[in-house]
Amino acid sequence: MSTLEIVTKEIVDLHEFFTEWFNGTADRDQLGSQFLSRLDENVVFIPPEGHILTGEMLKGGFDRDFGTNKGFRIRIRDVTIRREVGDLVMATYTEWQVGATQSERENARVTSVLMKMTSPVTWLHIQETWLPDSARDVGSFDF
């Protein structure tokens, strides 16, 4: 598999787990194996609102939010490799959400991610930014 294929699969698989988690259809004991184990111990996540979250903060939020968003769906689009340096890859993708309860019900964001191409892939840094209305207006929430 190419780097783009590996990165795309990693991103899509993780977001499929998020959908199952928030819908309450995942096994509750899979949080560690399906999500937390993918994160570097010093991971930084910056959501569109701009605050910084650590891995421990993410774990706490996910623990609280299991099954709290029954109609939630995600579609990943536009995965692009931006840089490869040794075993590090920087990629971007857009994430389209339907049925969100903690933000606009239909929302979209562009995400930059720094990953270490280990087996399994390790997420080092994630930063999300809201897509502007002009980009959202030409996209589709039909999924």
Side-chain angles (χ1 to χ4, degrees):
M1 287 176 62
S2 71
T3 300
L4 178 59
E5 290 169 326
I6 293 167
V7 168
T8 299
K9 181 175 178 1
E10 175 68 17
I11 293 166
V12 169
D13 287 354
L14 185 58
H15 286 81
E16 286 176 357
F17 173 73
F18 291 163
T19 299
E20 293 172 3
W21 184 262
F22 293 120
N23 278 286
T25 58
D27 288 333
R28 193 160 177 115
D29 65 352
Q30 289 184 323
L31 182 61
S33 64
Q34 295 298 314
F35 175 46
L36 301 174
S37 65
R38 292 173 148 139
L39 304 178
D40 181 77
E41 65 184 39
N42 296 311
V43 69
V44 170
F45 171 65
I46 305 171
E49 298 80 15
H51 50 275
I52 295 175
L53 299 174
T54 64
E56 279 301 310
M57 295 164 91
L58 287 170
K59 180 185 183 310
F62 271 77
D63 278 340
R64 279 189 310 275
D65 292 338
F66 178 80
T68 61
N69 203 349
K70 301 290 185 194
F72 184 62
R73 297 187 315 276
I74 299 174
R75 174 69 44 96
I76 299 299
R77 299 180 178 142
D78 309 314
V79 178
T80 305
I81 303 296
R82 300 296 177 178
R83 294 283 182 270
E84 290 185 67
V85 179
D87 62 355
L88 299 177
V89 171
M90 180 175 202
T92 57
Y93 58 92
T94 59
E95 177 181 335
W96 298 73
Q97 297 185 357
V98 173
T101 58
Q102 295 184 359
S103 62
E104 283 187 54
R105 291 195 56 75
E106 291 184 347
N107 70 79
R109 58 198 73 200
V110 62
T111 302
S112 296
V113 61
L114 180 63
M115 298 176 165
K116 188 170 187 176
M117 300 307 292
T118 53
S119 183
V121 172
T122 303
W123 295 61
L124 304 172
H125 186 94
I126 308 132
Q127 182 163 359
E128 299 179 333
T129 303
W130 295 121
L131 283 177
D133 290 343
S134 59
R136 288 182 51 212
D137 291 346
V138 298
S140 170
F141 288 96
D142 293 331
F143 55 89

